[in-house]
């Protein structure tokens, strides 16, 4: 049990701290370029490590697998993580974490629109509370006023992350989760590099002005955000109930807000705390919504937008089923 809690605290702190690391990294490194370097290095090394293990004969990555990886990587890492990195040039890291915490809300809505899933009363209540918290957060004025462009980018990032997660629900990928994750990070890193160059980030990069803190932030994201946190997460999924693992969805924002305040001097207003609490409460309702037809607990959503993709083929399927309103049991003759 001590090992479970050690791994859980690792996920809470490491993934909660990625927002602070992104904030520091993008101070002197263009955001899309930073994300590209991060995911190309993290994904490339992970892929080389994983592809040589397991069922190498019958689980070879195919062109179809790479196509899925590029679609998912574009949605999650360009649309999701890339927009978060851009937004953190304008918005405090704690606020970014609170807005990204709405991913389970968008997942529930997307599941309803795409698959026609009926939502349980607990999920509907969680949606109403969660979006109420978002309105409360972005509507504040004065010293705590949030940059409108940054806020819009974070909401869009959450929607991209949810859309990519929904697509990955049935996307063809290698059965070995680490191989698929490595492919998605490589694909996302390539797309980030293309968009970074196309938007002129390469011309704006001044290597002489890149600070040591930004480099350390990037290294932290690669080593801890992409490898240590992910490894702890995968281990937890195999060794404890997924509802316990799913607590990252509402603990990470709290960690991010506290770290931003303690280490970066970010302003925390009473309205921010209230709005954050409302968002976390809404997310908690959605994450803990269950269907009695599941044999175990389910976790909703994805890791934070500063974290690598996970084994979506299994996790997201169970998460979305858990959001649905229970249907009457039927018997077949």
């Amino acid at each position: 049990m001590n090992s479970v809690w050690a791994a859980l605290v690792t996920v809470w702190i490491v993934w909660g701290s990625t927002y602070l690391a992104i904030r520091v990294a993008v101070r002197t490194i263009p955001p899309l370029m930073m994300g590209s370097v991060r995911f190309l290095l993290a994904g490339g090394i992970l892929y080389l490590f994983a592809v040589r293990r397991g069922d190498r004969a019958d689980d070879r990555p195919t062109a179809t697998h790479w196509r899925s990886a590029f679609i998912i990587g574009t949605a999650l890492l360009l649309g999701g993580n890339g927009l978060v990195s851009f937004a953190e040039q304008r918005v405090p890291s704690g606020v970014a974490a609170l807005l990204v915490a709405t991913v389970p809300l968008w997942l529930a809505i997307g599941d309803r629109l795409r698959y026609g899933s009926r939502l349980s009363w607990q999920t509907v209540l969680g949606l109403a509370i969660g979006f109420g918290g978002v309105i409360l957060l972005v509507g504040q004025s004065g010293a705590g006023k949030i940059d409108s462009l940054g806020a819009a980018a974070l909401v869009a990032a959450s929607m991209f992350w949810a859309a990519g997660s929904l697509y990955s629900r049935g996307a063809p990928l290698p059965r070995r989760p680490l191989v698929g994750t490595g492919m998605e990070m490589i694909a996302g890193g390539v797309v980030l590099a293309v968009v970074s160059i196309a938007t002129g980030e390469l011309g704006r990069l001044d290597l002489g002005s890149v600070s040591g803190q930004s480099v350390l932030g990037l290294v932290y994201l690669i080593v801890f955000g992409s490898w240590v946190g992910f490894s702890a997460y995968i281990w937890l999924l195999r060794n404890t109930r997924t509802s316990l693992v799913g607590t990252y969805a509402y603990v990470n924002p709290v960690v991010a807000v506290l770290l931003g305040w303690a280490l970066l001097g970010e302003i925390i207003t009473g309205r921010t705390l209230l709005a954050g609490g409302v968002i976390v409460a809404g997310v908690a309702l959605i994450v803990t919504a269950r269907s009695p037809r599941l044999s175990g607990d389910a976790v909703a959503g994805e890791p934070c937008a500063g974290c690598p993709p996970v084994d979506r083929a299994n996790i997201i399927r169970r998460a979305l089923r858990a959001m649905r309103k229970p249907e009457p049991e039927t018997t077949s003759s």
Side-chain angles (χ1 to χ4, degrees), residues 10 158 255 301 314 321:
T10 297
S158 302
V255 172
N314 180 32
R321 285 177 59 195

Side-chain angles (χ1 to χ4, degrees), residues 194-255:
V194 171
V195 178
S196 172
I197 294 172
T199 55
E201 282 193 348
L202 189 59
R204 296 194 297 272
L205 175 66
D206 181 4
L207 292 177
S209 67
V210 174
S211 69
Q213 288 185 341
S214 290
V215 173
L216 286 176
L218 175 58
V219 172
Y220 183 89
L221 288 169
I222 294 172
V223 176
F224 290 93
S226 296
W227 292 337
V228 175
F230 177 68
S231 299
Y233 183 80
I234 292 297
W235 185 87
L236 282 167
L237 288 174
R238 296 173 178 172
N239 289 275
T240 190
R241 65 187 189 278
T242 49
S243 62
L244 180 61
V245 185
T247 56
Y248 75 81
Y250 38 92
V251 174
N252 287 168
V254 176
V255 172

Side-chain angles (χ1 to χ4, degrees), residues 146-192:
I146 298 173
D147 180 85
S148 56
L149 180 58
L154 289 166
V155 172
S158 302
M159 295 173 69
F160 272 111
W161 195 274
S165 301
L166 286 167
Y167 171 80
S168 69
R169 180 181 179 184
L173 288 167
R175 294 188 299 274
R176 293 171 291 174
L178 291 180
V179 174
T181 298
M183 291 170 64
E184 291 164 13
M185 284 197 280
I186 292 171
V190 169
V191 176
L192 279 163

Side-chain angles (χ1 to χ4, degrees), residues 43 46-62 65-66 69 72 171-185 230 234 238 309-315:
L46 178 62
Y47 180 79
L48 291 176
F49 169 82
V51 78
R52 299 173 181 271
R53 289 164 174 76
D55 188 0
R56 299 171 57 184
D58 297 325
D59 191 32
R60 295 177 181 271
T62 66
H65 293 156
W66 278 107
I72 296 169
L173 288 167
R175 294 188 299 274
R176 293 171 291 174
L178 291 180
V179 174
T181 298
M183 291 170 64
E184 291 164 13
M185 284 197 280
F230 177 68
I234 292 297
R238 296 173 178 172
V310 296
D311 183 9
R312 294 172 199 82
N314 180 32
I315 299 169

Side-chain angles (χ1 to χ4, degrees), residues 25-78:
V26 300
R27 282 176 172 174
T28 58
I29 304 175
L32 301 183
M33 184 177 298
M34 184 278 295
S36 174
V37 172
R38 173 194 174 184
F39 290 115
L40 284 175
L41 286 175
I45 294 174
L46 178 62
Y47 180 79
L48 291 176
F49 169 82
V51 78
R52 299 173 181 271
R53 289 164 174 76
D55 188 0
R56 299 171 57 184
D58 297 325
D59 191 32
R60 295 177 181 271
T62 66
T64 301
H65 293 156
W66 278 107
R67 176 179 175 273
S68 297
F70 268 93
I71 294 174
I72 296 169
T74 298
L76 296 182
L77 303 185
L78 174 62

